[in-house]
Amino acid sequence: MNDHSMFRYAALVPGEVAFPLVRWGMTAAMLLLAAGVVALQVAADRWPRARPVVGVALAAGVVVLALAAWRGDSTRVGPDWSDGVHEAEVSCDAGAVAVQVAAAPGGWSVRLPCTALPHNG
């Protein structure tokens, strides 16, 4: 969820602050979703004829969640972390003790000891 344009609060002007503020609603949304699933399970247990309806409701929920996760407003910019780690592993194999790995935003980097990389750990 952190990779969402609504989380760039510093870039919003007062009139653009959208409802709901997603960051603070995430836990409540997960609890509400869990309560809904439990309620559907209770309904299926109490009324066996409702099981097909419960199955359709759960399948529809999965589709809605999948569509909500698939979006084009990603705020990801900058280098791919896995490529930088692979290049760092090559440098470590060549004898380096620590390496600089490119990070987002573009132009930033992080210095890592070779022992912190999975390949050398």
Side-chain angles (χ1 to χ4, degrees):
M1 280 302 294
N2 280 336
D3 182 33
H4 195 284
S5 61
M6 286 183 66
F7 293 142
R8 292 181 290 171
Y9 299 121
L12 298 175
V13 295
E16 290 180 331
V17 177
F19 181 82
L21 293 175
V22 190
R23 184 175 304 274
W24 294 284
M26 180 57 65
T27 304
M30 290 189 309
L31 289 171
L32 194 58
L33 179 64
V37 172
V38 169
L40 287 172
Q41 181 62 48
V42 169
D45 288 345
R46 287 191 179 178
W47 302 288
R49 288 184 169 195
R51 286 188 180 150
V53 175
V54 168
V56 169
L58 288 173
V62 169
V63 169
V64 167
L65 289 173
L67 290 174
W70 180 61
R71 62 188 191 286
D73 69 341
S74 175
T75 58
R76 290 185 189 190
V77 293
D80 186 14
W81 180 257
S82 62
D83 290 341
V85 170
H86 176 69
E87 292 169 9
E89 288 175 341
V90 171
S91 296
C92 289
D93 288 343
V97 176
V99 289
Q100 290 291 123
V101 179
W108 288 32
S109 66
V110 62
R111 184 168 176 78
L112 294 173
C114 288
T115 56
L117 297 173
H119 179 71
N120 293 293

